[in-house]
Amino acid sequence: MGSQPDYNQPPLEVSFAGFLWDMDGTIIDSTPAIEKHWHSIGKEIGVDGDVILKTSHGRRSIDTLKILAPEKANWEYVAQMEGQLPVLYADLASEIPGARQLLDSMIKISAPWAIVTSGTEPLVHGWLSRMKLAIPEHLVTAESVPEGKPDPACYRMGLDKLKLSDVAGDVLVLEDSPAGIEAGKAAGCKVIGLVTSHTVDQVVAAEPDWVVKDLSSVHVVGTKGGKVVVEIKDALKL
């Protein structure tokens, strides 16, 4: 893509019927916590932590374990393991810039939204509670679907929960991982890709509709015709 990405796309306004948020890398950044935790788990299961981390981001822990430690690939173990993350490493997570403000502005106008994540329910509730972030009425977690991202089942379930399956093209998915971007596109949604956990080239290769550094580039500006009007600024010129 060249040596210097060009984040100078003129501001544009787009209307959406609802929003499906990934969590890690989109609302919060718990990468340092995850790295420490996987190194600890790696010692327990006899797999080098760096080997695990090469493929774990954006993938369900159970899918990672199916490959590297099949004997641990069960929901009881995964839920217990992930539930410990926000407890043990609470100080190692931070907010993605602009995420809280964007969430709060959506909630203020009662915009339909859900979280669709590769994490388990104990992980999601743990982090959101620890960081005092809004807990959604609608939630799709790792346990909810038979296959994780890039399979689109999770985002299709999110659309169902918001009762927006018939207008998937009017729903915005907010994602950081290539697998998640691909899942959102395959579900028929529009996708904005964040360059928070992967390189800009990796994000662009997944073919989102827009690419931004983080959510400080995305703002709710109002409502029109029953939809939420969002401004996207400083997007990458694709």
Side-chain angles (χ1 to χ4, degrees), residues 42 149 157 167 186 214:
K149 302 170 185 177
M157 183 175 287
V167 290
D214 55 45

Side-chain angles (χ1 to χ4, degrees), residues 1-72:
M1 144 148 299
S3 57
Q4 196 64 35
D6 185 2
Y7 290 97
N8 286 309
Q9 189 77 15
L12 74 156
E13 292 187 358
V14 194
S15 298
F16 297 104
F19 303 87
L20 297 173
W21 292 68
D22 174 51
M23 189 180 76
D24 210 338
T26 302
I27 299 175
I28 68 166
D29 177 11
S30 67
T31 302
I34 290 169
E35 289 177 352
K36 275 203 168 189
H37 201 49
W38 272 125
H39 277 286
S40 175
I41 296 298
K43 291 176 183 176
E44 180 184 326
I45 64 177
V47 179
D48 186 273
D50 290 331
V51 171
I52 300 173
L53 290 166
K54 283 179 183 177
T55 58
S56 62
H57 188 85
R59 172 180 278 174
R60 299 184 305 173
S61 293
I62 199 163
D63 295 327
T64 300
L65 291 170
K66 281 178 183 176
I67 298 168
L68 300 173
E71 71 282 1
K72 295 289 188 181

Side-chain angles (χ1 to χ4, degrees), residues 77-225:
Y77 178 79
V78 171
Q80 183 274 332
M81 176 188 83
E82 290 196 354
Q84 286 298 300
L85 254 165
V87 177
L88 297 174
Y89 308 109
D91 58 331
L92 294 180
S94 58
E95 295 177 20
I96 295 297
R100 183 184 293 271
Q101 293 86 343
L102 183 58
L103 261 180
D104 287 349
S105 63
M106 288 181 182
I107 292 167
K108 188 175 181 180
I109 59 171
S110 300
W113 71 287
I115 287 179
V116 179
T117 176
S118 297
T120 58
E121 197 162 331
L123 180 72
V124 176
H125 282 280
W127 278 130
L128 295 179
S129 298
R130 285 267 171 177
M131 302 187 75
K132 295 180 172 58
L133 287 157
I135 294 175
E137 178 184 352
H138 305 292
L139 179 62
V140 179
T141 62
E143 307 98 317
S144 305
V145 289
E147 299 292 334
K149 302 170 185 177
D151 189 282
C154 56
Y155 279 115
R156 287 176 179 152
M157 183 175 287
L159 289 168
D160 286 343
K161 285 179 177 285
L162 296 184
K163 296 180 171 56
L164 294 174
S165 296
D166 292 340
V167 290
D170 289 337
V171 174
L172 180 65
V173 165
L174 302 97
E175 264 283 1
D176 68 298
S177 74
I181 292 167
E182 291 169 12
K185 293 296 293 182
C189 301
K190 294 291 191 297
V191 181
I192 188 163
L194 281 61
V195 185
T196 54
S197 63
H198 291 73
T199 68
V200 64
D201 288 333
Q202 289 171 322
V203 172
V204 169
E207 301 185 347
D209 297 278
W210 304 277
V211 176
V212 294
K213 290 181 181 178
D214 55 45
L215 290 176
S216 61
S217 292
V218 185
H219 303 274
V220 171
V221 295
T223 58
K224 186 176 181 180

